[in-house]
Amino acid sequence: MEKIRTLRGFRDIVGEDIERFGRIEDASRRYLDLLGFAEIATPVLESTDLFVRSIGDATDIVEKEMFTFTDLGGDSLTLRPEATAGVVRAYLQAGMYAKERISKIFTMGPMFRHERPQKGRFRQFYQVDVEVFGSDDPFIDAELLWMISLLLADLGVKKYTMEVNSVGCKLCREEFRTVLVSYFETKKDRLCEDCLRRLYKNPLRIFDCKNAQCIEVNSESPLLFDYLCTECGSHFNSFLSHMNGFGVPVTVNKRLVRGLDYYTKTVFEVTSDELGAQKAFTAGGRYDNLVEEMGGPKTPAIGFAIGMERLALIVGSGERPRKPVFFFAYLGEKAKAYLVPVTKAFIAQGLPIRYSYDGKSLKSQMRYADSLGADFVMILGDDEINRCIIVARNMKDKKQFELPLDPSEIAVELKRRIQK
RNA sequence: GUGGGUGUAGCUCAAUGGUUAGAGCAUCAGGCUGUGGACCUGGGGGUUGGGGGUUCGAGCCCCCUCACCCACCCCA
């Protein structure tokens, strides 16, 4: 019979991987909590329309990467390809804008994109998603990057680059777009096929092209950065000086653009050279118009997402403090009768307890105890029962001693010994 | 969607076209009847990803297919 496997781009997260995920989640929650972010959870399945309207109908995500299907009632549903749309929807649906001036929100969970898998890229991938609603103060932009730097330091990530840029507001972007299109029109013969397609659809994305000729054309192109309106320009400068105030170094990359339509002003990417082609493991930006476009009140906002499997590839190997392990080895049915009371006593003391189910030879049970990394093994057989004692063996120094056969006394005594 | 690479035991990998496809690790058992961990002995575990073809003979050569990896594309 054919073995059933995970679908392409889907995987089980086990062992070392799930430990890394756990550390990323723990550290994220810690810093987010310290800075006043509230956790929420939103559905993985939403109306297709939500994503089309927020992400932009001409983006690659919406055009060809969504897991979209029609449900039994005939509605078009989509597995979320990113988190911001759902969080904005939740923000509006719960009326948070009326309850608090600033809403700092985060959520964690799986996202889905129908792409070809490669290093650091899966069809189901996990993100820590962080959003701040209600202010366009550039201090917040800087605060978020600072928080990311704290988190990365905590996780032992040392080599990374924070690239920042401003993509302006609607006004300056419109003006720049005409300038840019007319520039590229003069260079049409040197652009690759993809960029010719992008030219009218989304000319900013030509900056992202890795084709050698296009990079050359790009190097001489006008920059949106130089066309920022006064407000956007001073917003960006203010953001940079706040970064300086936090003491977090950033690199201005005037060609940094993003793949989602809703970004305005500040955009950023945190990259690592250790990641392969998909080197951005955290990215985000400001989106001052999205909430309003989604039918809410005018609400400036900013957010970012951490790609957990990408970050997991570069987090330092952290050793969690090891918990003590106690093992109960029993010989015969009479001894096995003590399994339940002993187990209960250890759990009551908050002590991890292990045992074999088949209770084979003592040798076998000792091997098993060793493979589990047991600190103490309790040995109980007919001899001990007759003498009303239990033998405890310290697996480190190999010293054995006897304790009265009383489960809670045993647990208390061994707890005392392990704490020394 | 397009390239390139790789598919042999649970894992990491061997095997000029030629016996019954091996090794290490892992696992299980034994090495005084009741005492673990770098030792010794043994056991179990494979439709060589799948399907065709060439050949006296295919893990190996050819074709198709599937999966995984890397890259393009795109993005976290």
Side-chain angles (χ1 to χ4, degrees), chain A residues 19 22 49 70 79-80 84 111 169 176 202 239 255 301 308 327 335 352 356 376 391 404 411:
Chain A
E19 279 191 36
D49 204 35
T70 306
L79 285 167
R80 61 182 183 191
T84 303
M111 308 295 154
C169 59
F176 176 68
N202 195 346
F239 159 65
R255 289 190 169 73
M308 288 185 45
F327 190 95
S356 78
F376 283 94
V391 170

Side-chain angles (χ1 to χ4, degrees), chain A residues 183-193 195-196 211-220:
Chain A
Y183 166 78
F184 281 127
E185 276 176 337
T186 66
K187 310 279 180 185
K188 256 184 178 171
D189 48 321
R190 293 168 65 198
L191 289 177
C192 71
E193 253 180 68
C195 286
L196 284 175
N211 178 294
Q213 281 223 336
C214 297
I215 290 175
E216 214 177 291
V217 175
N218 275 332
S219 68
E220 298 150 18

Side-chain angles (χ1 to χ4, degrees), chain A residues 259-272:
Chain A
L260 284 68
D261 279 355
Y262 52 65
Y263 286 111
T264 57
K265 291 182 178 160
T266 314
V267 294
F268 56 88
E269 262 181 22
V270 189
T271 62
S272 165

Side-chain angles (χ1 to χ4, degrees), chain A residues 251-321:
Chain A
T251 305
V252 177
N253 175 358
K254 296 183 179 179
R255 289 190 169 73
L256 179 65
V257 291
R258 317 251 56 246
L260 284 68
D261 279 355
Y262 52 65
Y263 286 111
T264 57
K265 291 182 178 160
T266 314
V267 294
F268 56 88
E269 262 181 22
V270 189
T271 62
S272 165
D273 291 332
E274 296 165 47
L275 279 177
Q278 313 301 323
K279 64 190 187 118
F281 61 92
T282 293
R286 185 159 275 293
Y287 50 96
D288 288 341
N289 304 315
L290 181 61
V291 175
E292 192 175 11
E293 284 165 9
M294 296 295 289
K298 186 166 172 51
T299 310
I302 180 170
F304 68 87
I306 298 171
M308 288 185 45
E309 27 286 278
R310 290 183 188 178
L311 180 51
L313 288 171
I314 54 174
V315 293
S317 53
E319 299 125 28
R320 294 206 291 218

Side-chain angles (χ1 to χ4, degrees), chain A residues 5-38:
Chain A
R5 302 179 43 94
T6 50
L7 301 170
R8 166 174 290 171
F10 289 71
R11 60 176 197 146
D12 302 312
I13 301 162
V14 297
E16 168 98 356
D17 288 336
I18 196 74
E19 279 191 36
R20 285 165 181 259
F21 268 51
R23 278 164 51 214
I24 291 169
E25 288 178 15
D26 292 349
S28 300
R29 284 205 173 86
R30 197 158 61 243
Y31 288 104
L32 286 161
D33 183 56
L34 285 169
L35 285 164
F37 287 81

